[in-house]
Amino acid sequence: MIRVDDLSITYGDLRALDDVSLDIEDGEFVTIVGPSGCGKTTLLRTIGGLETPTTGSVRVDGDSPDAAQSDARLGFVFQDHTLLPWKTALENVTFLRRMAGKDPDPEGARDLLATTGLDGFGDARPAELSGGMKQRVAIARAIHLGADVLLMDEPFGELDEITRDEMSVEILRLWRENRKTVVFVTHSVPEAVFLGDRCLVVSGSSAAGGAGRIVAEFDIDLPRPRDESVFGSEAFGQQVARVRSALHDDA
Ligand SMILES: Nc1ncnc2c1ncn2[C@@H]1O[C@H](COP(=O)(O)OP(=O)(O)OP(=O)(O)O)[C@@H](O)[C@H]1O
Ligand SMILES: [Mg+2]
């Protein structure tokens, strides 16, 4: 379980996050939407132990994020994919797992590359891949690490709409099979609704003098498993409208 308690983060005079409290259950898929600059990445990085709370605390199964990270219990997909340029796609996927001292699983790594649409690109270096392909390698790498918690920061940001929809369905399938806890940041309201058990709306751009806060929270009661047919359903449209209006109300 992830527990965020009264978390605030300031950078000098800038307050990026203000008094954020949040519990995430094991195996839950939580999505976070909000405008640019409202502190989504900061929140994710703090849960991952990459930022230190100015006040308040973060606990992952009762431990500090640092401890969880050093046990490879946290997997990241960043906004910029951070692949190692000198390694092939396949080596990039397997590298973190090897560093973490987990059992090698080359078959699993190859399957993940295929699942993410990169069959045949295992030997390619990042420079030979498009932005979206690199992002998919980073997703495969995070899943392959086998961490209990996946922290994903706009992982589909560089993908075209169709691949994005396909990857959304694929991520849900992988999540169903592996039962990870996922915290997923996105700019896309439909994506947040399609993926999440729960959707948090963060608002308050620090550029405009505000600080990021959770302004609304929605339980997404769409049946699972969800596939592309959900996008056209009335219930989906209604949920999207609700989340959108929370975003706009606050803006
Ligand atoms: N290391 C840092 N030092 C100083 N300010 C920072 C730092 N990291 C983030 N900020 C500021 O904190 C605020 C929140 O940034 P953050 O990256 O969390 O926003 P975001 O919601 O992820 O935005 P986007 O949707 O554009 O990715 C911004 O005003 C940003 O300038
Ligand atoms: Mg961000």
Side-chain angles (χ1 to χ4, degrees):
M1 179 184 193
I2 298 169
R3 170 155 278 178
V4 177
D5 254 331
D6 292 335
L7 173 69
S8 296
I9 298 268
T10 53
Y11 298 111
D13 291 339
L14 188 144
R15 182 162 276 244
L17 285 177
D18 192 28
D19 220 2
V20 171
S21 292
L22 164 68
D23 282 349
I24 300 174
E25 299 297 331
D26 290 345
E28 197 179 8
F29 201 127
V30 171
T31 55
I32 299 174
V33 277
S36 182
C38 72
K40 303 179 298 297
T41 295
T42 303
L43 175 58
L44 212 60
R45 287 175 55 84
T46 311
I47 293 174
L50 303 174
E51 300 284 340
T52 309
T54 308
T55 57
S57 68
V58 176
R59 282 280 173 272
V60 179
D61 291 335
D63 296 325
S64 71
D66 272 351
Q69 209 202 125
S70 57
D71 297 349
R73 280 185 273 155
L74 300 171
F76 290 93
V77 181
F78 292 107
Q79 259 173 311
D80 46 0
H81 43 74
T82 63
L83 299 182
L84 300 174
W86 60 89
K87 288 192 182 289
T88 65
L90 185 65
E91 287 164 353
N92 265 289
V93 172
T94 54
F95 165 75
L96 282 184
R97 186 180 172 101
R98 210 153 34 83
M99 292 301 285
K102 297 195 173 177
D103 290 342
D105 178 15
E107 204 54 37
R110 256 178 256 279
D111 284 352
L112 274 170
L113 276 182
T115 302
T116 49
L118 292 169
D119 226 355
F121 287 94
D123 294 331
R125 315 246 167 217
E128 302 167 78
L129 303 173
S130 75
M133 290 160 96
K134 284 186 270 217
Q135 197 63 308
R136 283 181 270 154
V137 174
I139 293 168
R141 175 182 61 185
I143 294 170
H144 188 64
L145 175 64
D148 303 329
V149 177
L150 281 177
L151 303 173
M152 306 183 102
D153 195 357
E154 291 179 54
F156 304 157
E158 290 191 52
L159 303 183
D160 64 272
E161 193 108 348
I162 292 173
T163 312
R164 217 174 157 124
D165 290 352
E166 285 171 3
M167 283 300 296
S168 298
V169 173
E170 206 48 56
I171 279 284
L172 286 186
R173 191 182 63 77
L174 290 164
W175 171 72
R176 230 173 23 249
E177 285 173 1
N178 300 289
R179 275 296 145 185
K180 308 290 182 203
T181 307
V182 181
V183 189
F184 189 105
V185 166
T186 175
H187 281 139
S188 160
V189 174
E191 193 167 274
V193 168
F194 178 73
L195 292 170
D197 293 317
R198 194 149 55 103
C199 173
L200 307 176
V201 178
V202 177
S203 198
S205 168
S206 41
R213 299 171 294 118
I214 296 175
V215 293
E217 181 177 328
F218 296 88
D219 287 323
I220 309 296
D221 49 8
L222 299 170
R224 293 194 188 269
R226 300 177 191 163
D227 60 22
E228 283 96 339
S229 66
V230 169
F231 292 120
S233 78
E234 196 176 322
F236 176 74
Q238 285 168 352
Q239 290 277 13
V240 168
R242 263 184 230 124
V243 174
R244 266 221 172 100
S245 81
L247 263 174
H248 288 293
D249 281 355
D250 205 75

